[in-house]
Amino acid sequence: MANIQERRNKDGKLISFSIRVHRGRGTDGKQLKPFTATFDVEPTWKEETARKKAEAFASVFEKECKEGVKSDTRQTFASYCDYVISLKEQRGTKHSTIVLYKSLTRRIYPKIGHIKLKNLRSDILNDLYTYLATGKLNKRSGGNLSAKTVLEHHRLISTVLEQAVKECLVPFNVASRAVLPKVEKKNVNYFQPEDVANIREAMETEPLKWKTLIHLFLITGARRGELLGLKWDKVDFENKRIYICNNILYSPDIGVYEDTPKTETSKRYIALPEETMKLLKQYKREQAEEQLKMGIKHSRSGFVFCQYDGKPMHPDSATDYLRKFSKRNNLPHINPHAFRHTMASMLYYNGVDSVSISKRLGHAQVSTTANIYAHVVEQADRKNAEILSDIFLKSQSF
């Protein structure tokens, strides 16, 4: 039942009715702010008539609230965004995504956090995106944020407003009408064959642990966290493959932690050549011998790549090692993801189809693979044109 309260002026004359509809409690158990409305009284109405009209209005208003037609007109973007982030965290959104969302709000809230959802407009968002792109907000460089980073802010805002649409708090998502910055597509960074040859030669003198890791980066194309999350029980020596189903990540609030891979399709088997399996066997023996020397009979964690006590490595450890490795051997700058791009590029150049490459990379959609490596595909197609020319145009028998 809606709650109806009279409002009178200083002379005691009835001027309006305040109407409240209880909303229940939120996911945190706290009582939500009620839906509210004001019913104004015409000066010519008698009080009895005004109350009957107010009661009829309150009845309709309560029905619309329960059906999700009416919105909470006092809800601000900041309060609702906090609610949406909390809701997503409870529903199992990855911790890294939640951390990203919360970091983005630190730039969003000062500009639009106080604005009510019902008052948010696309031009307000356009002003926000301009501010983000030109406000020298990059703490690392002191420069402007990249278009890609501005889009990350937009995606959070759009996600929040889309939830507001679902809960009938706003009629439509105003973020869909904002003008977004254009992101210039960069060609992927991959090593040329001569670079790969130099890397392979240099890694022969590296400790077996790092030699094995570099080898796997190149052969599997797996993400950094996926290889650091690999455990020995997921190395199938008999069928010459590994199973990617674990991920090592770092977050300032909880440190190094385990999680599932990026997407469900990122869980995958990756076939490996005989040379790789021999290297893994050699490394496993060495790791067991070293643990035995330190008095560790068996590593409970079972990580292939770990610290001396068996705990998972910090993800940045691999990146830092590769940076020093490349500098020490006068090699081009090396980062884990460059190996991933190199593997995919070499497969394209050798005629492997996008579906097979996408599956090996663990992409959710084949279109993702095709878009990322569009430049590589174009170059590979030139090679196909030359092959066709040799077959059809330069052949004397044709």
Side-chain angles (χ1 to χ4, degrees), residues 84-113:
V84 172
I85 293 175
S86 175
L87 185 65
K88 287 190 171 294
E89 188 171 16
Q90 293 170 17
R91 296 297 186 270
T93 297
K94 288 185 177 296
H95 182 73
S96 58
T97 302
I98 297 299
V99 171
L100 172 62
Y101 283 166
K102 291 180 178 179
S103 69
L104 296 176
T105 61
R106 289 194 282 270
R107 297 192 187 106
I108 295 173
Y109 287 177
K111 288 295 181 181
I112 67 169

Side-chain angles (χ1 to χ4, degrees), residues 2 6 46 71 111 129 215 297 299 310 356:
E6 296 178 352
K46 294 181 180 179
S71 65
K111 288 295 181 181
Y129 300 154
H215 183 100
K297 293 183 179 180
S299 175
S356 300

Side-chain angles (χ1 to χ4, degrees), residues 257-355:
Y257 67 100
E258 292 183 66
D259 200 353
T260 54
K262 190 174 182 180
T263 63
E264 191 61 30
T265 51
S266 292
K267 295 180 180 179
R268 63 200 186 278
Y269 285 99
I270 299 179
L272 300 175
E274 182 63 36
E275 294 85 350
T276 305
M277 302 313 300
K278 287 181 179 179
L279 187 61
L280 281 167
K281 287 179 182 178
Q282 182 185 354
Y283 171 57
K284 187 177 184 181
R285 286 194 299 269
E286 180 182 279
Q287 186 187 74
E289 291 171 359
E290 289 181 352
Q291 290 176 346
L292 192 60
K293 289 178 182 178
M294 292 186 293
I296 304 175
K297 293 183 179 180
H298 179 68
S299 175
R300 293 180 179 178
S301 65
F303 286 103
V304 174
F305 303 102
C306 57
Q307 302 181 58
Y308 70 92
D309 57 0
K311 293 182 179 179
M313 293 169 54
H314 192 296
D316 287 344
S317 297
T319 304
D320 291 341
Y321 185 89
L322 289 173
R323 177 178 54 81
K324 294 175 182 176
F325 167 75
S326 58
K327 188 175 181 180
R328 191 168 57 248
N329 292 280
N330 295 317
L331 296 167
H333 175 69
I334 299 174
N335 63 76
H337 226 66
F339 285 110
R340 181 173 171 85
H341 293 324
T342 300
M343 185 213 72
S345 300
M346 291 304 105
L347 290 178
Y348 269 119
Y349 281 128
N350 284 276
V352 180
D353 61 279
S354 292
V355 175

Side-chain angles (χ1 to χ4, degrees), residues 218-229:
L218 182 60
I219 294 297
T220 66
R223 301 176 180 93
R224 180 182 67 174
E226 293 175 341
L227 284 184
L228 296 184

Side-chain angles (χ1 to χ4, degrees), residues 20-79:
R20 290 176 162 230
V21 175
H22 182 61
R23 287 185 64 196
R25 297 182 181 276
T27 55
D28 56 359
K30 294 182 180 180
Q31 194 168 25
L32 298 172
K33 292 180 180 179
F35 289 109
T36 61
T38 299
F39 181 79
D40 294 321
V41 175
E42 294 290 337
T44 57
W45 291 350
K46 294 181 180 179
E47 288 195 5
E48 183 180 353
T49 301
R51 173 163 287 279
K52 287 183 179 179
K53 289 180 178 290
E55 288 175 350
F57 174 85
S59 178
V60 174
F61 178 72
E62 182 178 23
K63 181 175 180 294
E64 290 178 339
C65 289
K66 290 180 178 180
E67 292 176 349
V69 177
K70 287 294 182 183
S71 65
D72 181 0
T73 57
R74 297 180 303 176
Q75 186 85 269
T76 65
F77 180 84
S79 62

